[in-house]
Amino acid sequence: MQNDSQCSTDNTDAAPATQDQYDVVVIGAGHNGLTAAAMLAKNGRRLLVVERRDIVGGLAAGEEFHPGFKTSGLLHDTSGVREDVLQALDLERFGLRLNSEPPAIFAPQEPGQGTGLLLSHDPDTAASEITELSADDAERYADYRGFLGRIRGFVGGLLRDPPPDLSTNGWAGLLPLAHRGWALRRLGKKDMMELLRIAPMCVADWLGEWFESELLKSLLAGPAVYGTFAGPRSPGSNANLLRAEVLAGQAVKGGPRSLIDALAAAARDNGVEIRTGAEVRDIRISDGRVNGVILADGESIDAAIVVASCDPKRTFLQMVNSRVVSVSFVHRIKNLRMRGTTAKVNLALNKPLRFACRPDLEVEYARTGKSLKEMERSFDAVKYGRFSSTLILDIHVPSVRTPALAPPGHSVVSILAHFVPYSIKGGWNDRLRVQLGDTIVDALSRYAPEVRSAIVGCEVLSPADLEQRYGLTGGHIHHGEHGLDQLLVRPCPECARYGTPIAGLYLCGSGSHPGGGLTCAPGANAASVIINRRPGS
């Protein structure tokens, strides 16, 4: 999805130590970089992928964090991966398989307060679980899923396709807009007006119109606020929920590691050269056009096209000399909101993870948060540069489906802890990192009291650590917040269709449309735009 190349702003074109020639250089061997590379190579381009780290995968890279225990990647939800991309690259030939449906999510309750909620996307399957909380909500959930199903085609189209080219004069530019307007109208007056009404809403208000159970509402609201500077009461947060629900499909068997393995194999099969341990120092630009990159060791690589899967700030503020772009463009890039609010904890347990409210249930995915009020209070702390004592956790136990990630009888628990500020008061240090790890384990122990005694290894990554390891500016896992303004035109008007003000330089990371998460969409769309580009662009 991304690359963490750290580059200077010195854009010199000094004589290189060595020099190679490629049609395209892709910066970053994350899932979006590999997707773009494989699709471009399949189109006949000679292609090189350069990756600063020693492994491929970016945010989906699986790594050993404790002897005998391996992670499934920083991000763990693969249900948003575009199936048409997988088919276009024939990833099944490289071992990729999909589960039959989106995974069920468990919302645990503290001991003595209930048996929790195991929520399936299928209303019939979910009905008996929801009925334990509210019979009315069980009926409403079917209507809720029905509405999401009806808008899926239209919203999915917006998220699937590259944005229309508004710079084109005449009908060529207007036709895609007309198609989208007609697709919106085909929803029917009732659903069309409802979609226009609810997209700018806060997720708390919209879910409050549907349901009465706080546990159900908080479980559904999670994706609306995960990884961004917003709480359930923040305006526009409902658009994130709609985005997540519409993208949700069949998850990848084996998780992110399997996705990366298949993408890397497909890229190499199409002739892509992948270099790890290759840090990009500068993007070479002459007369307003890209002509290659310079690596940290001084090696210069020629290419007529450079595709950056790292975030927009890292690309333009660290790899590109600011003198080759306008002051107003630099100003817009500097003002992109990238205030990371996510931390990561990987736990190595000497037994399976079990929740006290339902000890016989083998849980693969879980979300904490007993009410929207608790989630909002957790977000409140971020505004003042601190993290709450009751953090909101997005939990994945990848060893449930992939036992080889841990020794026999043991388990790996991957936790994304939300509402942890990148800009913490006083700055991140070892003491705060230890405090963060303890707080996250305490938050999990509320629901799984035996977890602390089962820990044999623990890795804690603050938002600042995520920036350092993965190259995420501000520690932001989506390469920029999913606010309405940064979703509709992402990352800025000049780069909304993956091209940039610099001829031959393209973006293909999560900072581009349609945003972050493991989708492969930005990489695929960027490749499509490059393949169909006008000569000289």
Side-chain angles (χ1 to χ4, degrees):
M1 158 175 200
Q2 62 86 49
N3 171 268
D4 53 352
S5 302
Q6 295 178 338
C7 310
S8 71
T9 55
D10 180 14
N11 224 54
T12 59
D13 288 330
T18 59
Q19 194 153 335
D20 291 308
Q21 174 70 54
Y22 295 89
D23 297 323
V24 183
V25 171
V26 174
I27 305 173
H31 77 287
N32 278 314
L34 291 173
T35 298
M39 297 189 77
L40 289 170
K42 192 172 182 179
N43 188 250
R45 314 297 174 96
R46 186 179 179 218
L47 211 133
L48 171 68
V49 176
V50 288
E51 166 63 50
R52 183 181 72 94
R53 301 186 72 203
D54 292 329
I55 58 173
V56 301
L59 299 188
E63 305 173 64
E64 186 173 75
F65 67 96
H66 186 75
F69 294 83
K70 299 177 182 178
T71 70
S72 60
L74 173 63
L75 301 182
H76 47 234
D77 181 11
T78 60
S79 65
V81 175
R82 275 177 46 179
E83 290 187 49
D84 62 317
V85 175
L86 309 185
Q87 294 166 2
L89 294 176
D90 196 15
L91 294 192
E92 186 173 339
R93 186 161 63 92
F94 302 99
L96 188 117
R97 301 290 185 272
L98 297 176
N99 294 317
S100 58
E101 60 184 14
I105 312 293
F106 185 61
Q109 290 178 288
E110 295 181 39
Q113 296 187 1
T115 58
L117 171 63
L118 182 63
L119 188 67
S120 168
H121 276 238
D122 177 56
D124 294 333
T125 305
S128 60
E129 290 274 341
I130 301 175
T131 298
E132 294 297 317
L133 301 172
S134 167
D136 289 341
D137 281 358
E139 293 184 9
R140 295 285 285 165
Y141 186 68
D143 294 336
Y144 171 81
R145 285 286 165 211
F147 171 73
L148 292 173
R150 292 193 299 275
I151 67 170
R152 179 180 293 271
F154 171 73
V155 178
L158 295 179
L159 298 174
R160 180 184 63 248
D161 301 328
D165 186 359
L166 299 181
S167 65
T168 302
N169 294 324
W171 287 106
L174 294 177
L175 197 57
L177 289 177
H179 282 312
R180 292 187 180 186
W182 176 241
L184 176 63
R185 187 65 186 87
R186 287 177 63 189
L187 289 176
K189 182 177 180 181
K190 182 178 179 181
D191 285 341
M192 178 183 69
M193 297 306 295
E194 179 68 357
L195 178 58
L196 295 174
R197 179 182 78 90
I198 65 176
M201 288 177 67
C202 73
V203 69
D205 283 348
W206 191 58
L207 290 178
E209 293 179 0
W210 283 99
F211 307 112
E212 60 186 9
S213 166
E214 284 296 325
L215 188 64
L216 176 59
K217 287 188 289 185
S218 61
L219 175 57
L220 291 171
V225 295
Y226 288 169
T228 197
F229 201 92
R233 290 287 175 191
S234 299
S237 55
N238 202 49
N240 281 328
L241 176 63
L242 297 177
R243 176 184 181 275
E245 291 284 11
V246 166
L247 286 175
Q250 298 169 289
V252 173
K253 289 185 177 180
R257 294 170 64 98
S258 295
L259 174 65
I260 292 301
D261 287 346
L263 285 170
R268 291 188 175 104
D269 186 69
N270 283 289
V272 175
E273 180 184 342
I274 301 175
R275 290 195 208 172
T276 57
E279 177 181 349
V280 172
R281 190 186 75 200
D282 297 297
I283 296 173
R284 284 173 31 207
I285 300 164
S286 178
D287 296 326
R289 168 170 285 282
V290 159
N291 56 38
V293 299
I294 301 176
L295 302 185
D297 62 5
E299 179 183 2
S300 184
I301 302 170
D302 285 351
I305 295 174
V306 173
V307 186
S309 67
C310 39
D311 71 67
K313 283 191 176 182
R314 187 164 294 271
T315 301
F316 291 107
L317 303 183
Q318 296 192 38
M319 299 183 190
V320 172
N321 191 318
S322 61
R323 290 173 295 181
V324 303
V325 290
S326 69
V327 173
S328 60
F329 177 75
V330 172
H331 178 75
R332 270 191 285 277
I333 295 296
K334 285 182 176 179
N335 283 284
L336 290 173
R337 300 189 304 282
M338 294 187 182
R339 300 167 289 184
T341 59
T342 302
K344 178 66 181 287
V345 165
N346 294 306
L347 297 179
L349 305 186
N350 60 15
K351 61 182 181 180
L353 176 67
R354 291 291 184 264
F355 292 97
C357 66
R358 205 178 300 190
D360 296 331
L361 180 65
E362 186 176 51
V363 174
E364 186 179 4
Y365 290 91
R367 297 173 186 163
T368 69
K370 59 185 179 182
S371 68
L372 293 176
K373 182 180 291 185
E374 181 184 60
M375 296 176 73
E376 187 69 28
R377 286 175 177 169
S378 187
F379 170 60
D380 283 341
V382 175
K383 304 172 188 176
Y384 303 100
R386 56 185 178 83
F387 55 84
S388 169
S389 60
T390 55
L391 290 171
I392 304 302
L393 310 182
D394 181 19
I395 304 163
H396 177 39
V397 188
S399 50
V400 168
R401 287 186 185 259
T402 313
L405 296 177
H410 295 58
S411 59
V412 170
V413 180
S414 169
I415 302 173
L416 290 172
H418 299 284
F419 305 129
V420 179
Y422 170 82
S423 301
I424 199 163
K425 188 174 294 185
W428 283 100
N429 54 46
D430 289 341
R431 178 188 61 81
L432 277 175
R433 192 176 291 104
V434 170
Q435 182 183 340
L436 171 62
D438 287 341
T439 301
I440 292 172
V441 172
D442 285 345
L444 179 57
S445 298
R446 291 169 57 190
Y447 307 97
E450 297 180 359
V451 70
R452 186 175 287 277
S453 63
I455 296 174
V456 297
C458 178
E459 180 182 43
V460 179
L461 299 172
S462 71
D465 297 322
L466 299 183
E467 179 179 56
Q468 183 176 18
R469 178 179 292 189
Y470 299 102
L472 299 171
T473 301
H476 206 290
I477 62 173
H478 298 320
H479 289 196
E481 292 173 31
H482 284 170
L484 274 177
D485 59 318
Q486 293 190 180
L487 275 177
L488 294 175
V489 182
R490 187 172 179 88
C492 60
E494 296 91 335
C495 306
R497 277 182 55 83
Y498 312 99
T500 73
I502 302 166
L505 177 60
Y506 292 84
L507 304 179
C508 75
S510 294
S512 300
H513 178 82
L518 302 179
T519 67
C520 298
N525 287 350
S528 174
V529 168
I530 294 169
I531 290 169
N532 295 299
R533 72 190 182 117
R534 296 188 298 271
S537 62

Short mmCIF file of all heavy atoms in Angstrom, two decimals, residues 217-271:
data_model
loop_
_atom_site.label_atom_id
_atom_site.label_comp_id
_atom_site.label_asym_id
_atom_site.label_seq_id
_atom_site.Cartn_x
_atom_site.Cartn_y
_atom_site.Cartn_z
N LYS A 217 -24.51 -0.39 17.97
CA LYS A 217 -24.12 0.87 17.33
C LYS A 217 -22.61 1.09 17.38
O LYS A 217 -22.00 1.51 16.39
CB LYS A 217 -24.86 2.04 17.98
CG LYS A 217 -26.33 2.11 17.62
CD LYS A 217 -26.99 3.38 18.12
CE LYS A 217 -27.16 3.39 19.63
NZ LYS A 217 -27.93 4.58 20.09
N SER A 218 -22.01 0.80 18.53
CA SER A 218 -20.56 1.02 18.64
C SER A 218 -19.79 0.04 17.77
O SER A 218 -18.75 0.38 17.19
CB SER A 218 -20.11 0.92 20.09
OG SER A 218 -20.38 -0.37 20.62
N LEU A 219 -20.30 -1.18 17.63
CA LEU A 219 -19.64 -2.16 16.77
C LEU A 219 -19.69 -1.72 15.31
O LEU A 219 -18.68 -1.76 14.59
CB LEU A 219 -20.32 -3.53 16.92
CG LEU A 219 -19.85 -4.65 16.00
CD1 LEU A 219 -18.36 -4.90 16.15
CD2 LEU A 219 -20.63 -5.93 16.29
N LEU A 220 -20.85 -1.26 14.87
CA LEU A 220 -20.99 -0.81 13.48
C LEU A 220 -20.21 0.47 13.22
O LEU A 220 -19.71 0.68 12.11
CB LEU A 220 -22.47 -0.58 13.16
CG LEU A 220 -23.36 -1.82 13.09
CD1 LEU A 220 -24.83 -1.42 12.99
CD2 LEU A 220 -22.97 -2.70 11.90
N ALA A 221 -20.08 1.33 14.22
CA ALA A 221 -19.45 2.64 14.03
C ALA A 221 -17.95 2.58 13.89
O ALA A 221 -17.33 3.54 13.41
CB ALA A 221 -19.83 3.57 15.19
N GLY A 222 -17.32 1.47 14.30
CA GLY A 222 -15.87 1.41 14.33
C GLY A 222 -15.18 1.90 13.06
O GLY A 222 -14.34 2.82 13.11
N PRO A 223 -15.50 1.35 11.89
CA PRO A 223 -14.79 1.77 10.66
C PRO A 223 -14.98 3.24 10.31
O PRO A 223 -14.21 3.78 9.52
CB PRO A 223 -15.42 0.87 9.58
CG PRO A 223 -15.95 -0.32 10.32
CD PRO A 223 -16.41 0.22 11.64
N ALA A 224 -15.99 3.88 10.86
CA ALA A 224 -16.21 5.29 10.56
C ALA A 224 -15.15 6.19 11.20
O ALA A 224 -14.91 7.30 10.72
CB ALA A 224 -17.61 5.71 11.05
N VAL A 225 -14.52 5.72 12.26
CA VAL A 225 -13.59 6.57 13.00
C VAL A 225 -12.19 5.96 13.11
O VAL A 225 -11.26 6.64 13.55
CB VAL A 225 -14.13 6.87 14.41
CG1 VAL A 225 -15.41 7.70 14.31
CG2 VAL A 225 -14.39 5.60 15.21
N TYR A 226 -12.02 4.71 12.73
CA TYR A 226 -10.71 4.09 12.84
C TYR A 226 -9.69 4.80 11.96
O TYR A 226 -9.92 5.05 10.78
CB TYR A 226 -10.76 2.62 12.43
CG TYR A 226 -11.46 1.70 13.40
CD1 TYR A 226 -11.78 0.40 13.04
CD2 TYR A 226 -11.80 2.13 14.69
CE1 TYR A 226 -12.41 -0.46 13.93
CE2 TYR A 226 -12.43 1.28 15.58
CZ TYR A 226 -12.74 -0.02 15.19
OH TYR A 226 -13.37 -0.87 16.07
N GLY A 227 -8.55 5.12 12.54
CA GLY A 227 -7.43 5.64 11.78
C GLY A 227 -7.54 7.08 11.35
O GLY A 227 -6.75 7.54 10.52
N THR A 228 -8.49 7.84 11.90
CA THR A 228 -8.60 9.23 11.48
C THR A 228 -8.95 10.10 12.68
O THR A 228 -9.32 9.61 13.74
CB THR A 228 -9.65 9.37 10.36
OG1 THR A 228 -9.48 10.62 9.71
CG2 THR A 228 -11.06 9.24 10.89
N PHE A 229 -8.78 11.41 12.50
CA PHE A 229 -8.97 12.35 13.60
C PHE A 229 -10.45 12.71 13.69
O PHE A 229 -10.88 13.80 13.31
CB PHE A 229 -8.12 13.60 13.35
CG PHE A 229 -7.83 14.40 14.58
CD1 PHE A 229 -6.69 14.16 15.33
CD2 PHE A 229 -8.70 15.39 15.00
CE1 PHE A 229 -6.41 14.91 16.47
CE2 PHE A 229 -8.44 16.14 16.14
CZ PHE A 229 -7.29 15.89 16.88
N ALA A 230 -11.24 11.77 14.19
CA ALA A 230 -12.69 11.97 14.27
C ALA A 230 -13.27 11.00 15.28
O ALA A 230 -12.75 9.90 15.48
CB ALA A 230 -13.35 11.75 12.91
N GLY A 231 -14.32 11.44 15.94
CA GLY A 231 -15.09 10.58 16.82
C GLY A 231 -16.46 10.33 16.21
O GLY A 231 -16.80 10.89 15.16
N PRO A 232 -17.28 9.52 16.85
CA PRO A 232 -18.59 9.22 16.28
C PRO A 232 -19.52 10.42 16.19
O PRO A 232 -20.51 10.38 15.46
CB PRO A 232 -19.15 8.15 17.23
CG PRO A 232 -18.34 8.24 18.47
CD PRO A 232 -17.00 8.73 18.06
N ARG A 233 -19.19 11.51 16.89
CA ARG A 233 -19.99 12.73 16.81
C ARG A 233 -19.43 13.73 15.81
O ARG A 233 -19.98 14.82 15.65
CB ARG A 233 -20.08 13.38 18.19
CG ARG A 233 -20.92 12.62 19.21
CD ARG A 233 -22.39 12.74 18.90
NE ARG A 233 -23.23 11.93 19.78
CZ ARG A 233 -24.51 11.72 19.56
NH1 ARG A 233 -25.11 12.25 18.51
NH2 ARG A 233 -25.22 10.97 20.39
N SER A 234 -18.36 13.37 15.12
CA SER A 234 -17.74 14.29 14.16
C SER A 234 -18.54 14.34 12.86
O SER A 234 -18.88 13.29 12.31
CB SER A 234 -16.31 13.85 13.86
OG SER A 234 -15.52 13.86 15.02
N PRO A 235 -18.86 15.54 12.36
CA PRO A 235 -19.58 15.64 11.08
C PRO A 235 -18.80 14.95 9.97
O PRO A 235 -17.58 15.00 9.92
CB PRO A 235 -19.66 17.15 10.84
CG PRO A 235 -19.51 17.77 12.21
CD PRO A 235 -18.60 16.86 12.96
N GLY A 236 -19.52 14.27 9.07
CA GLY A 236 -18.90 13.60 7.95
C GLY A 236 -18.39 12.20 8.24
O GLY A 236 -18.02 11.48 7.31
N SER A 237 -18.40 11.81 9.51
CA SER A 237 -17.88 10.47 9.84
C SER A 237 -18.76 9.37 9.25
O SER A 237 -18.28 8.25 9.03
CB SER A 237 -17.76 10.30 11.36
OG SER A 237 -18.99 10.56 12.02
N ASN A 238 -20.01 9.68 8.95
CA ASN A 238 -20.87 8.65 8.38
C ASN A 238 -20.45 8.26 6.98
O ASN A 238 -20.68 7.12 6.54
CB ASN A 238 -22.33 9.13 8.37
CG ASN A 238 -23.31 7.98 8.30
OD1 ASN A 238 -23.20 7.02 9.07
ND2 ASN A 238 -24.23 8.04 7.36
N ALA A 239 -19.81 9.18 6.25
CA ALA A 239 -19.32 8.84 4.90
C ALA A 239 -18.29 7.71 4.99
O ALA A 239 -18.23 6.85 4.11
CB ALA A 239 -18.71 10.07 4.24
N ASN A 240 -17.49 7.71 6.05
CA ASN A 240 -16.51 6.64 6.23
C ASN A 240 -17.17 5.31 6.49
O ASN A 240 -16.68 4.25 6.05
CB ASN A 240 -15.56 6.98 7.38
CG ASN A 240 -14.49 7.96 6.97
OD1 ASN A 240 -14.05 7.98 5.83
ND2 ASN A 240 -14.07 8.79 7.90
N LEU A 241 -18.27 5.33 7.23
CA LEU A 241 -19.00 4.08 7.46
C LEU A 241 -19.55 3.55 6.15
O LEU A 241 -19.44 2.35 5.85
CB LEU A 241 -20.13 4.30 8.46
CG LEU A 241 -21.03 3.08 8.71
CD1 LEU A 241 -20.22 1.93 9.31
CD2 LEU A 241 -22.20 3.43 9.61
N LEU A 242 -20.17 4.41 5.35
CA LEU A 242 -20.70 3.98 4.06
C LEU A 242 -19.60 3.42 3.19
O LEU A 242 -19.77 2.40 2.52
CB LEU A 242 -21.40 5.15 3.37
CG LEU A 242 -22.61 5.75 4.08
CD1 LEU A 242 -23.13 6.94 3.29
CD2 LEU A 242 -23.71 4.72 4.28
N ARG A 243 -18.46 4.09 3.18
CA ARG A 243 -17.32 3.62 2.39
C ARG A 243 -16.90 2.22 2.82
O ARG A 243 -16.71 1.33 1.99
CB ARG A 243 -16.15 4.60 2.55
CG ARG A 243 -14.87 4.19 1.85
CD ARG A 243 -13.75 5.18 2.17
NE ARG A 243 -12.51 4.80 1.49
CZ ARG A 243 -11.63 3.93 1.95
NH1 ARG A 243 -11.85 3.32 3.12
NH2 ARG A 243 -10.52 3.65 1.28
N ALA A 244 -16.76 2.01 4.12
CA ALA A 244 -16.33 0.71 4.62
C ALA A 244 -17.34 -0.38 4.33
O ALA A 244 -16.98 -1.50 3.94
CB ALA A 244 -16.07 0.80 6.13
N GLU A 245 -18.62 -0.08 4.50
CA GLU A 245 -19.65 -1.08 4.28
C GLU A 245 -19.75 -1.47 2.81
O GLU A 245 -19.94 -2.64 2.48
CB GLU A 245 -21.00 -0.55 4.78
CG GLU A 245 -21.11 -0.39 6.30
CD GLU A 245 -21.31 -1.74 7.00
OE1 GLU A 245 -21.15 -2.79 6.36
OE2 GLU A 245 -21.62 -1.71 8.20
N VAL A 246 -19.61 -0.49 1.93
CA VAL A 246 -19.74 -0.78 0.51
C VAL A 246 -18.52 -1.55 0.00
O VAL A 246 -18.65 -2.41 -0.88
CB VAL A 246 -19.92 0.54 -0.27
CG1 VAL A 246 -19.71 0.34 -1.76
CG2 VAL A 246 -21.32 1.10 -0.02
N LEU A 247 -17.34 -1.27 0.55
CA LEU A 247 -16.13 -1.95 0.12
C LEU A 247 -16.06 -3.39 0.63
O LEU A 247 -15.37 -4.23 0.04
CB LEU A 247 -14.89 -1.19 0.60
CG LEU A 247 -14.55 0.11 -0.13
CD1 LEU A 247 -13.36 0.79 0.54
CD2 LEU A 247 -14.23 -0.15 -1.60
N ALA A 248 -16.73 -3.67 1.74
CA ALA A 248 -16.59 -4.99 2.38
C ALA A 248 -17.06 -6.10 1.46
O ALA A 248 -18.17 -6.07 0.93
CB ALA A 248 -17.38 -5.02 3.69
N GLY A 249 -16.19 -7.07 1.28
CA GLY A 249 -16.52 -8.23 0.44
C GLY A 249 -15.86 -9.47 0.99
O GLY A 249 -15.74 -9.64 2.20
N GLN A 250 -15.37 -10.32 0.11
CA GLN A 250 -14.74 -11.57 0.52
C GLN A 250 -13.30 -11.31 0.92
O GLN A 250 -12.51 -10.77 0.15
CB GLN A 250 -14.79 -12.58 -0.62
CG GLN A 250 -16.19 -12.97 -1.05
CD GLN A 250 -16.19 -13.75 -2.35
OE1 GLN A 250 -15.93 -13.20 -3.40
NE2 GLN A 250 -16.47 -15.04 -2.26
N ALA A 251 -12.94 -11.68 2.14
CA ALA A 251 -11.58 -11.49 2.63
C ALA A 251 -10.64 -12.51 2.00
O ALA A 251 -11.06 -13.58 1.54
CB ALA A 251 -11.55 -11.60 4.15
N VAL A 252 -9.36 -12.18 2.00
CA VAL A 252 -8.34 -13.06 1.42
C VAL A 252 -7.98 -14.16 2.42
O VAL A 252 -7.70 -13.88 3.60
CB VAL A 252 -7.07 -12.25 1.07
CG1 VAL A 252 -5.94 -13.19 0.64
CG2 VAL A 252 -7.38 -11.23 -0.01
N LYS A 253 -8.01 -15.40 1.98
CA LYS A 253 -7.57 -16.50 2.84
C LYS A 253 -6.08 -16.36 3.12
O LYS A 253 -5.29 -16.18 2.19
CB LYS A 253 -7.85 -17.84 2.18
CG LYS A 253 -9.33 -18.21 2.12
CD LYS A 253 -9.53 -19.62 1.57
CE LYS A 253 -11.02 -19.99 1.58
NZ LYS A 253 -11.25 -21.36 1.06
N GLY A 254 -5.72 -16.44 4.39
CA GLY A 254 -4.32 -16.24 4.76
C GLY A 254 -3.98 -14.80 5.04
O GLY A 254 -2.85 -14.50 5.44
N GLY A 255 -4.94 -13.89 4.84
CA GLY A 255 -4.76 -12.50 5.22
C GLY A 255 -3.79 -11.72 4.34
O GLY A 255 -3.48 -12.11 3.20
N PRO A 256 -3.29 -10.58 4.86
CA PRO A 256 -2.44 -9.69 4.07
C PRO A 256 -1.18 -10.37 3.53
O PRO A 256 -0.74 -10.07 2.42
CB PRO A 256 -2.07 -8.59 5.07
CG PRO A 256 -3.18 -8.59 6.07
CD PRO A 256 -3.60 -10.02 6.19
N ARG A 257 -0.60 -11.28 4.31
CA ARG A 257 0.62 -11.95 3.83
C ARG A 257 0.36 -12.71 2.53
O ARG A 257 1.17 -12.69 1.60
CB ARG A 257 1.14 -12.92 4.90
CG ARG A 257 1.62 -12.25 6.17
CD ARG A 257 1.87 -13.28 7.26
NE ARG A 257 2.94 -14.20 6.89
CZ ARG A 257 4.20 -14.09 7.29
NH1 ARG A 257 4.55 -13.07 8.07
NH2 ARG A 257 5.11 -14.97 6.92
N SER A 258 -0.78 -13.38 2.45
CA SER A 258 -1.11 -14.12 1.23
C SER A 258 -1.34 -13.18 0.06
O SER A 258 -0.98 -13.48 -1.08
CB SER A 258 -2.35 -14.99 1.47
OG SER A 258 -2.10 -15.99 2.43
N LEU A 259 -1.95 -12.03 0.33
CA LEU A 259 -2.17 -11.04 -0.72
C LEU A 259 -0.84 -10.55 -1.28
O LEU A 259 -0.65 -10.50 -2.51
CB LEU A 259 -2.98 -9.85 -0.17
CG LEU A 259 -3.17 -8.67 -1.11
CD1 LEU A 259 -4.00 -9.06 -2.32
CD2 LEU A 259 -3.82 -7.50 -0.37
N ILE A 260 0.09 -10.21 -0.40
CA ILE A 260 1.39 -9.71 -0.85
C ILE A 260 2.17 -10.79 -1.59
O ILE A 260 2.80 -10.52 -2.63
CB ILE A 260 2.20 -9.18 0.36
CG1 ILE A 260 1.53 -7.93 0.93
CG2 ILE A 260 3.64 -8.89 -0.04
CD1 ILE A 260 1.40 -6.79 -0.06
N ASP A 261 2.14 -12.01 -1.09
CA ASP A 261 2.85 -13.09 -1.77
C ASP A 261 2.35 -13.26 -3.21
O ASP A 261 3.14 -13.42 -4.14
CB ASP A 261 2.66 -14.41 -1.01
CG ASP A 261 3.45 -14.46 0.29
OD1 ASP A 261 4.33 -13.61 0.48
OD2 ASP A 261 3.16 -15.34 1.13
N ALA A 262 1.04 -13.19 -3.38
CA ALA A 262 0.46 -13.37 -4.71
C ALA A 262 0.78 -12.17 -5.61
O ALA A 262 1.11 -12.35 -6.80
CB ALA A 262 -1.05 -13.57 -4.61
N LEU A 263 0.68 -10.95 -5.08
CA LEU A 263 0.99 -9.76 -5.88
C LEU A 263 2.44 -9.74 -6.32
O LEU A 263 2.76 -9.43 -7.48
CB LEU A 263 0.66 -8.49 -5.09
CG LEU A 263 -0.81 -8.12 -4.95
CD1 LEU A 263 -0.98 -6.99 -3.95
CD2 LEU A 263 -1.43 -7.74 -6.29
N ALA A 264 3.35 -10.08 -5.39
CA ALA A 264 4.77 -10.08 -5.72
C ALA A 264 5.07 -11.15 -6.78
O ALA A 264 5.86 -10.92 -7.72
CB ALA A 264 5.61 -10.32 -4.47
N ALA A 265 4.44 -12.32 -6.65
CA ALA A 265 4.65 -13.39 -7.62
C ALA A 265 4.12 -12.98 -9.00
O ALA A 265 4.76 -13.24 -10.03
CB ALA A 265 3.97 -14.67 -7.14
N ALA A 266 2.95 -12.34 -9.03
CA ALA A 266 2.38 -11.89 -10.30
C ALA A 266 3.25 -10.83 -10.95
O ALA A 266 3.45 -10.83 -12.17
CB ALA A 266 0.96 -11.36 -10.08
N ALA A 267 3.77 -9.91 -10.12
CA ALA A 267 4.64 -8.86 -10.66
C ALA A 267 5.89 -9.47 -11.28
O ALA A 267 6.26 -9.15 -12.43
CB ALA A 267 5.01 -7.88 -9.54
N ARG A 268 6.53 -10.37 -10.56
CA ARG A 268 7.76 -10.99 -11.09
C ARG A 268 7.47 -11.83 -12.32
O ARG A 268 8.27 -11.86 -13.26
CB ARG A 268 8.41 -11.84 -9.99
CG ARG A 268 8.99 -11.02 -8.84
CD ARG A 268 9.80 -11.88 -7.89
NE ARG A 268 10.45 -11.07 -6.86
CZ ARG A 268 10.06 -10.97 -5.60
NH1 ARG A 268 8.99 -11.65 -5.18
NH2 ARG A 268 10.71 -10.21 -4.74
N ASP A 269 6.31 -12.49 -12.34
CA ASP A 269 5.94 -13.31 -13.48
C ASP A 269 5.77 -12.46 -14.74
O ASP A 269 5.99 -12.94 -15.85
CB ASP A 269 4.65 -14.07 -13.18
CG ASP A 269 4.28 -15.06 -14.27
OD1 ASP A 269 5.00 -16.06 -14.41
OD2 ASP A 269 3.28 -14.82 -14.97
N ASN A 270 5.39 -11.20 -14.54
CA ASN A 270 5.23 -10.28 -15.67
C ASN A 270 6.51 -9.50 -15.97
O ASN A 270 6.49 -8.56 -16.77
CB ASN A 270 4.08 -9.31 -15.40
CG ASN A 270 2.72 -9.95 -15.62
OD1 ASN A 270 2.33 -10.22 -16.75
ND2 ASN A 270 1.99 -10.20 -14.54
N GLY A 271 7.62 -9.88 -15.31
CA GLY A 271 8.91 -9.28 -15.63
C GLY A 271 9.33 -8.13 -14.75
O GLY A 271 10.35 -7.48 -15.03
#
